Amino acid sequence: MTEREAATAMTRRKLGPSLRGYFQDWLPRLVLAPSFLLVLVFVYGFNLWTLFLSFTNSKAFPTTNLIGFTNYVRLWNWTFETDPPSNWYTALVNMGLFGGLYIFFCLFLGLLLAILLDQKIRGEGILRPIYLYPLALSFIVTGTAWKLFLDPRIGLENALHDWGWTSFHFDWVVDPKMMIYCVAIAGIWQSSGFVMAMFLAGLRGVDGEILKAAQIDGASTYQTYRRIVIPIIRPVFFSALIVLAHMAIKSYDLVLSVTGKNPGGAAELPSTFMYSYTFTRNQMAIGSASAVIMLMTIAAIMVPYIYSETREQNR
């Protein structure tokens, strides 16, 4: 081999790994770039566009005529219109009822089911998919099924009447004052299994030596879970709370499917308010302002949690 050939071979050996490393570094970026651009445009870009529209006087079509905080002032005034109540006031009240019941009972039932499965009971492999099955259904399917089940003409009330219990009455799904509770029942049924899976993963991650030490010290099962296990899985509580709050705030299809297109706005939520004012009442600016308020509500829940978790990790 001549000196020139030896030099060429050495140059190739030097360039080969560097080029290979260069492509290995850039390949993941090239693969993720389209998804990143789509998220940047269709998520954050449209969020900024919605924020801009909330400061305009857009009606059926978007405009660029800025009017300041007028739309937010209108929503603020509607918040206190209780005689007769405004749609926005009804949406806020229903959001408090639905969100409170939905989050509380999902956390309670999810934790209870997770603790029961954590006892290594027989048939756990069968029970776990049963609890998780509702999560595989869409909100439309869930709401439609519960609407049929609660319909007094063909559902639970009619079945009990056929069995001879004629004094039983359960007409919440057609009662404007009780519709929102039916929406909560359907949502709790669907999401409790998901919360159970989160808690069960957290329980299975607890060090067994800690539990054995508690048993040696004479702690009962209740005391062990209350004073040791549950405090350990506190981050799971916060994660579940954030997910449930997000799902509660953006619930739209569940309301329409359970109530039958939300007659009279009886089960109005901020999500249904936003849709109706944007696409039905041709008040795009008002709908955009309500959407921004929904986004800020979710951010008010998530940002403190993310900040606290980041601060603990830095410590």
Side-chain angles (χ1 to χ4, degrees):
M1 180 181 296
T2 62
E3 293 182 359
R4 178 178 295 179
E5 293 175 347
T8 302
M10 184 176 296
T11 302
R12 289 176 179 175
R13 286 195 296 270
K14 290 181 178 180
L15 292 177
S18 61
L19 289 175
R20 188 181 301 112
Y22 177 81
F23 284 115
Q24 288 177 350
D25 290 340
W26 276 94
L27 183 60
R29 301 176 186 178
L30 294 175
V31 172
L32 295 176
S35 300
F36 176 78
L37 290 177
L38 290 175
V39 170
L40 189 65
V41 173
F42 291 100
V43 177
Y44 297 101
F46 280 103
N47 283 342
L48 293 176
W49 176 244
T50 301
L51 177 63
F52 173 77
L53 291 179
S54 68
F55 293 104
T56 67
N57 61 348
S58 301
K59 301 297 184 181
F61 297 97
T63 65
T64 57
N65 298 323
L66 296 176
I67 58 174
F69 289 90
T70 302
N71 296 315
Y72 293 96
V73 172
R74 292 178 65 183
L75 288 178
W76 175 260
N77 293 333
W78 290 351
T79 301
F80 304 100
E81 290 185 4
T82 60
D83 188 24
S86 65
N87 288 357
W88 182 245
Y89 172 83
T90 303
L92 294 180
V93 172
N94 285 340
M95 186 72 257
L97 292 173
F98 170 72
L101 293 172
Y102 177 72
I103 293 174
F104 173 79
F105 280 102
C106 282
L107 290 175
F108 175 77
L109 293 175
L111 179 61
L112 180 62
L113 293 175
I115 291 176
L116 292 176
L117 290 180
D118 193 45
Q119 307 305 311
K120 307 296 192 298
I121 62 176
R122 183 177 300 178
E124 176 187 344
I126 299 176
L127 293 176
R128 203 164 47 228
I130 292 176
Y131 294 150
L132 284 172
Y133 171 74
L135 187 63
L137 304 177
S138 67
F139 275 133
I140 290 291
V141 176
T142 298
T144 303
W146 275 95
K147 183 180 185 301
L148 296 175
F149 178 73
L150 298 176
D151 192 326
R153 297 169 299 177
I154 59 176
L156 177 64
E157 180 177 325
N158 181 67
L160 292 177
H161 287 180
D162 292 340
W163 292 345
W165 191 0
T166 57
S167 61
F168 178 82
H169 294 285
F170 192 84
D171 58 351
W172 286 10
V173 77
V174 294
D175 185 352
K177 295 182 179 180
M178 305 302 293
M179 279 184 181
I180 193 63
Y181 297 100
C182 294
V183 178
I185 291 173
I188 292 167
W189 177 80
Q190 182 172 35
S191 302
S192 295
F194 169 69
V195 178
M196 178 272 298
M198 295 182 65
F199 280 130
L200 186 60
L203 293 175
R204 295 290 166 83
V206 177
D207 190 356
E209 297 298 326
I210 298 177
L211 302 181
K212 292 180 180 178
Q215 293 176 354
I216 294 174
D217 291 339
S220 63
T221 303
Y222 171 78
Q223 292 174 331
T224 301
Y225 277 96
R226 180 175 177 271
R227 298 183 177 274
I228 299 176
V229 176
I230 292 179
I232 290 177
I233 63 172
R234 181 177 61 88
V236 181
F237 272 94
F238 286 113
S239 299
L241 177 63
I242 288 175
V243 172
L244 293 174
H246 174 263
M247 295 174 68
I249 292 173
K250 71 181 187 65
S251 294
Y252 171 79
D253 43 2
L254 184 65
V255 174
L256 297 188
S257 57
V258 172
T259 63
K261 297 185 179 180
N262 191 22
E268 193 81 271
L269 290 177
S271 56
T272 59
F273 176 92
M274 181 273 295
Y275 181 88
S276 64
Y277 270 76
T278 303
F279 301 105
T280 304
R281 304 193 180 193
N282 296 330
Q283 296 286 333
M284 185 178 295
I286 293 293
S288 299
S290 64
V292 172
I293 292 176
M294 291 167 58
L295 179 63
M296 297 305 295
T297 303
I298 296 174
I301 298 173
M302 294 183 61
V303 171
Y305 168 73
I306 296 174
Y307 173 76
S308 62
E309 290 296 316
T310 305
R311 188 175 181 183
E312 289 182 2
Q313 291 178 1
N314 293 334
R315 288 180 180 179

